[in-house]
Amino acid sequence: MGSKLKAKVVTMAMAMAMAGAGAHAASAPRVVTAGGALTGTREGGVVSFKGVPYAQPPVGDLRWRAPQPAAAWTGDRAATRFSASCQQAPSGAGFGPYTAAFVTPPELSEDCLYLNVWAPKSARKLPVYVFIHGGAYQAGGASVPAYDGAGLARKGAVVVTLNYRLGLFGFFAHPELNRESPLGTSGNQGVLDTIAALRWVQANISRFGGDPANVTIAGQSAGAGMVNHLLVSPLAQGLFQRAVMESGPALGIPALPLALAEGGGVGSAAKLKVANLAQMRALPAADLMKAGLPVMPLPITDGKVIPTDPESPGARVVSKVPLIAGYNRDETSPADAPKTAAAFEADVRKKMGPVADQILQLYPHASDAEAARSAVQLQVDRRVAGLILWGERRAADGQPAYIYLFEHTYPGLDPARNGAFHTAEVPYVMGALNLQGAAFTDVDKALSAEMQSRWLSFMRTGDPNPRGARTVWPRASQDPGSVQRFAPTDKAPLLDAARLAVFRDYVAKGGKLGLL
């Protein structure tokens, strides 16, 4: 090939490549939000926009302040990759049943207040599902693979996942912060982040095809706890119409009193040998994390953001919206239950003291094998009883509630040991059955389709009974039959009247039921 001909061919190839790139850019989905234009990605009939800012980076002088509105931008902003997760201890490669599909990716930063949106192509006024991740308020992130929203969006919803500040960055109280805050309080930065994200949804979600008047907030574990806090927060009132709490209607993690949280903040500053908040804000995040807090950073009953502990029996629910709440059968591993009659009795007396004698009468343990079976059943019954009693209180307060138990064994690592473990239900609701480390079958896909159908019906109408449902999911009541069972392996009743009565007595005597 002559030099002139070769140069001509190269020029033509470059022109074709540039034209192809331009065509690809032109085909990328584009949405103009209140802050500026976003370009996303399109795959399988779903468009996604990742790493969308809903608040300014909470760094420098904004560390520990309430979230500030995100700055506007000019031109098209690429929204094609997840942001970093909020600052936390690195999660490592996984543990127990938690493969990489359930673990926070390694990119971490204080600059983390971003959300992600999935929507069907050409969506119009669809229900919106805002999912809040778990992680004990100390860890997690919206980019965990199990939280992928494409599968649920494909069925007819606009799905949003979000990051919120964690640990001492998200729940740090201090008298100086109280004085500088317009609310006159501090310590609930992570809760205020979720409220800011919901306000962003109200302002922008219609541009993605979602209906801002039909928003369901949902969360798993600490995310469910966050939903519980939003239900009692006057600042969140009107920002959502339904709620879902997966593994968390009664976490057993009480909110901290403000005075205790402030004392922890003062103690942390003393440990760091700083004179004021300005010096604390100047410290690198790594130094702050090494110092930690004298008390575990948790949501705080401050009288403003969270007026009352939502786990208190008398808590006033501000947003009495319809809700779904449930647990998984194996929130605690069956393999960790007592294995001998002696160990079972000792465990019952330690955990169920006021009603231990009645429990030991109702749960057979004459042999080690019998005790091992009763130990596992007692774990499940405690949670189911907690659900029923919790649902009763909400129903008595005028809040429609539907409760469930997820019993399907997740087909991942060591399923015989892990069973229906904590978080196992999330991929089924999301429709994320393409995760690594699990061999999903047609049975899994059918269960996912059933759960998504129930969730979508609830999002649309507040009732998880779609037209043509095989069974009716009734509202929560004293009847254990009101517990919707997803993929039960045993059709026997969950609780009889005698066992439920003992758990009711246990709660009346000050005991707590639920996840922990």
Side-chain angles (χ1 to χ4, degrees):
M1 182 184 296
S3 58
K4 290 185 178 180
L5 180 58
K6 184 176 181 179
K8 187 175 182 179
V9 169
V10 170
T11 301
M12 290 176 63
M14 290 176 63
M16 291 174 65
M18 292 175 65
H24 175 75
S27 67
R30 184 174 183 272
V31 169
V32 180
T33 71
L38 298 167
T39 57
T41 57
R42 180 182 289 109
E43 184 176 357
V46 172
V47 296
S48 66
F49 298 84
K50 300 173 183 175
V52 180
Y54 71 83
Q56 291 184 41
V59 299
D61 187 54
L62 293 184
R63 181 187 279 173
W64 298 313
R65 292 186 188 274
Q68 302 299 305
W73 62 90
T74 57
D76 287 358
R77 179 187 181 114
T80 56
R81 63 182 299 272
F82 292 116
S83 73
S85 298
C86 288
Q87 195 69 52
Q88 60 193 273
S91 57
F95 56 95
Y98 302 104
T99 61
F102 295 91
V103 175
T104 312
E107 188 180 359
L108 307 173
S109 174
E110 280 191 84
D111 179 5
C112 63
L113 299 186
Y114 300 85
L115 53 76
N116 315 294
V117 182
W118 291 264
K121 181 182 177 182
S122 304
R124 293 290 184 274
K125 216 167 185 182
L126 293 179
V128 182
Y129 191 69
V130 180
F131 182 80
I132 305 169
H133 70 78
Y137 303 110
Q138 316 302 311
S143 56
V144 169
Y147 305 155
D148 188 288
L152 188 56
R154 199 167 285 118
K155 293 295 182 70
V158 174
V159 180
V160 179
T161 63
L162 62 102
N163 291 333
Y164 57 95
R165 281 173 283 182
L166 303 164
L168 62 80
F169 300 96
F171 304 97
F172 179 78
H174 194 281
E176 279 192 57
L177 283 175
N178 297 348
R179 289 192 289 271
E180 73 180 25
S181 167
L183 292 172
T185 184
S186 63
N188 282 313
Q189 297 90 352
V191 180
L192 290 170
D193 291 344
T194 63
I195 293 172
L198 289 172
R199 288 175 176 154
W200 184 96
V201 167
Q202 288 297 309
N204 293 284
I205 207 65
S206 62
R207 305 163 195 248
F208 297 83
D211 182 359
N214 190 7
V215 174
T216 297
I217 58 170
Q220 186 271 339
S221 192
M226 190 71 81
V227 169
N228 216 1
H229 291 298
L230 293 172
L231 290 172
V232 302
S233 176
L235 302 185
Q237 191 171 17
L239 298 178
F240 56 91
Q241 288 68 46
R242 328 207 192 283
V244 175
M245 301 166 66
E246 299 174 32
S247 297
L251 280 173
I253 305 176
L256 294 177
L258 180 59
L260 177 61
E262 286 177 346
V266 171
S268 182
K271 187 176 180 180
L272 289 164
K273 298 180 179 179
V274 295
N276 51 47
L277 277 179
Q279 291 181 7
M280 284 193 78
R281 284 176 167 138
L283 291 173
D287 291 352
L288 286 172
M289 293 186 68
K290 288 176 185 176
L293 282 171
V295 294
M296 185 176 180
L298 296 169
I300 296 161
T301 49
D302 61 358
K304 301 288 181 63
V305 182
I306 304 175
T308 183
D309 185 350
E311 294 205 5
S312 170
R316 178 177 177 268
V317 176
V318 174
S319 299
K320 294 182 181 179
V321 301
L323 59 88
I324 287 175
Y327 285 118
N328 293 358
R329 182 192 63 214
D330 305 311
E331 299 280 3
T332 51
S333 172
D336 295 331
K339 300 294 190 297
T340 67
F344 174 66
E345 182 168 345
D347 191 61
V348 168
R349 294 201 179 280
K350 177 182 177 181
K351 295 178 179 177
M352 308 291 294
V355 296
D357 289 337
Q358 297 97 304
I359 291 289
L360 291 170
Q361 289 175 5
L362 291 169
Y363 290 83
H365 56 288
S367 67
D368 289 347
E370 197 172 52
R373 289 192 295 272
S374 286
V376 172
Q377 189 60 50
L378 179 57
Q379 289 179 343
V380 177
D381 287 353
R382 276 179 56 99
R383 286 188 284 274
V384 172
L387 268 179
I388 292 170
L389 299 179
W390 179 87
E392 280 182 20
R393 291 197 301 271
R394 290 299 171 95
D397 196 32
Q399 187 171 20
Y402 299 86
I403 54 181
Y404 73 87
L405 183 69
F406 180 85
E407 302 177 66
H408 181 67
T409 295
Y410 185 86
L413 297 176
D414 199 358
R417 173 182 174 85
N418 298 319
F421 60 86
H422 185 64
T423 319
E425 87 293 347
V426 174
Y428 292 85
V429 173
M430 290 294 193
L433 298 190
N434 56 351
L435 301 175
Q436 294 182 355
F440 295 105
T441 67
D442 289 343
V443 172
D444 296 284
K445 294 174 184 176
L447 175 59
S448 177
E450 179 190 0
M451 295 187 75
Q452 289 188 309
S453 176
R454 296 281 191 181
W455 258 241
L456 284 161
S457 176
F458 178 76
M459 286 182 236
R460 293 170 183 141
T461 68
D463 184 341
N465 289 291
R467 184 178 299 177
R470 292 177 299 170
T471 59
V472 175
W473 185 350
R475 286 191 183 184
S477 72
Q478 297 181 25
D479 180 5
S482 68
V483 179
Q484 175 73 14
R485 301 176 68 178
F486 288 109
T489 55
D490 181 0
K491 294 292 185 179
L494 292 171
L495 279 172
D496 58 27
R499 292 182 179 184
L500 181 57
V502 171
F503 287 114
R504 191 184 298 277
D505 185 35
Y506 174 68
V507 171
K509 292 177 178 178
K512 293 186 180 295
L513 300 172
L515 181 58
L516 300 179

